[in-house]
Amino acid sequence: MGTLSETWFADGYIDFELKKYTLLSYLQDIHRAFNENKLYPQLADIIFHYNNLRAFRENKQLMQQQFPKRLTGIDLEKLMLLYEKVSADDELMNELEEIIAYSLEEMNNTIRDGTEIFEFVQDKLRISPVGLVPLENTSGYLLLCDGRYSDTLVYTYHLTIFERHDEQFRGIRTEYVEAYTKDLIHTCEHIKTILIRKNSQLSNPAVYCVETPLVLPVNETLLPVAKRSLVRYIALHAA
């Protein structure tokens, strides 16, 4: 996948046609991945750059309020220095504004395409708890099975919470454990029993099964969508 630097729109020679070519080449790579039903890391990357452009377009105070480093990973110091460097040059700023306006529109269209794929996959997922769910369900196991119905992939999961102003956001970390052949013996309930025997520290873990009839790239699409869907599922059922 082609990559862009955090300040690609103002690096080197600032020229609309040049930056347009750079952007379209990047977006072409993104669309190629989307056409293969591969969402990540492409979708997350373009959303980062979209937010980065919006951050630059706003004033410094708004950048500090809306785009904290720990949440988005945006290098605010670099953006601020860049803003100070070009803000005094009206002609340069006009060129940048044209580049940014065009880029935001094109990126937004591409993000919409990726979001449509994400939502389509999400709608085809079925999440169900395996057995009784303990009150403490911030850690446990995610069982993933796609339309090939050949294997059940097992991951540990751990929910994380981070804050921005007065809002809380939930994230999730997963780690691959192993795969079980999907047959009459290795049901989700039996897999849960095996996992409990192997890990005595989790005597009654929260276990969720995520199933879909779709066949998709696991690491690039199915697992990321399943993770985000599980976060939403747990949040809804905890309310």
Side-chain angles (χ1 to χ4, degrees):
M1 180 184 76
T3 57
L4 297 175
S5 72
E6 290 181 13
T7 54
W8 67 273
F9 52 94
D11 289 343
Y13 184 57
I14 299 177
D15 175 76
F16 176 79
E17 292 299 328
L18 177 62
K19 299 302 180 181
K20 176 181 176 181
Y21 174 81
T22 300
L23 174 67
L24 292 180
S25 177
Y26 167 76
L27 294 181
Q28 186 178 43
D29 287 343
I30 299 288
H31 280 290
R32 186 178 298 113
F34 287 174
N35 288 337
E36 297 173 356
N37 290 320
K38 295 179 180 179
L39 287 180
Y40 291 89
Q42 289 80 8
L43 184 56
D45 191 68
I46 191 173
I47 290 174
F48 169 84
H49 286 297
Y50 179 83
N51 287 336
N52 210 25
L53 282 175
R54 290 183 59 188
F56 179 82
R57 195 172 62 174
E58 303 295 338
N59 60 54
K60 299 173 189 177
Q61 182 180 1
L62 194 58
M63 279 198 291
Q64 290 174 318
Q65 292 175 348
Q66 300 295 329
F67 295 91
K69 288 181 187 178
R70 64 186 175 85
L71 178 59
T72 65
I74 292 174
D75 189 340
L76 283 177
E77 292 182 3
K78 182 181 294 186
L79 286 178
M80 288 179 183
L81 290 173
L82 177 59
Y83 184 89
E84 292 172 355
K85 180 179 179 181
V86 300
S87 60
D89 190 328
D90 291 340
E91 184 177 348
L92 200 59
M93 280 301 295
N94 289 337
E95 189 78 5
L96 269 177
E97 287 173 4
E98 185 179 4
I99 293 168
I100 290 172
Y102 174 82
S103 300
L104 285 174
E105 182 177 359
E106 292 297 319
M107 285 184 174
N108 187 55
N109 291 336
T110 302
I111 291 171
R112 188 182 300 115
D113 292 341
T115 302
E116 288 178 358
I117 299 173
F118 182 99
E119 292 176 348
F120 173 78
V121 176
Q122 188 174 57
D123 289 342
K124 297 295 183 180
L125 296 182
R126 186 171 68 89
I127 302 177
S128 56
V130 180
L132 296 177
V133 177
L135 293 177
E136 178 54 49
N137 62 352
T138 57
S139 296
Y141 293 99
L142 163 63
L143 310 183
L144 189 61
C145 182
D146 65 12
R148 286 169 291 197
Y149 303 106
S150 58
D151 296 303
T152 299
L153 306 179
V154 179
Y155 302 83
T156 59
Y157 80 82
H158 179 70
L159 296 182
T160 58
I161 297 178
F162 52 97
E163 296 182 357
R164 187 184 73 179
H165 306 308
D166 58 347
E167 296 180 278
Q168 282 192 341
F169 297 83
R170 289 181 174 89
I172 186 169
R173 296 198 311 268
T174 58
E175 184 175 344
Y176 176 74
V177 178
E178 58 188 312
Y180 291 90
T181 301
K182 194 170 181 63
D183 52 30
L184 294 176
I185 297 176
H186 293 102
T187 63
C188 290
E189 290 75 12
H190 184 61
I191 292 174
K192 178 178 181 177
T193 302
I194 296 173
L195 295 172
I196 291 174
R197 290 173 181 171
K198 288 186 175 182
N199 188 357
S200 58
Q201 293 181 349
L202 291 174
S203 58
N204 183 30
V207 181
Y208 295 93
C209 179
V210 182
E211 298 177 285
T212 179
L214 302 175
V215 177
L216 298 164
V218 174
N219 293 324
E220 294 88 348
T221 302
L222 185 54
L223 178 60
V225 177
K227 288 165 60 175
R228 285 156 180 79
S229 300
L230 181 59
V231 170
R232 188 177 69 169
Y233 179 91
I234 292 175
L236 287 174
H237 286 78

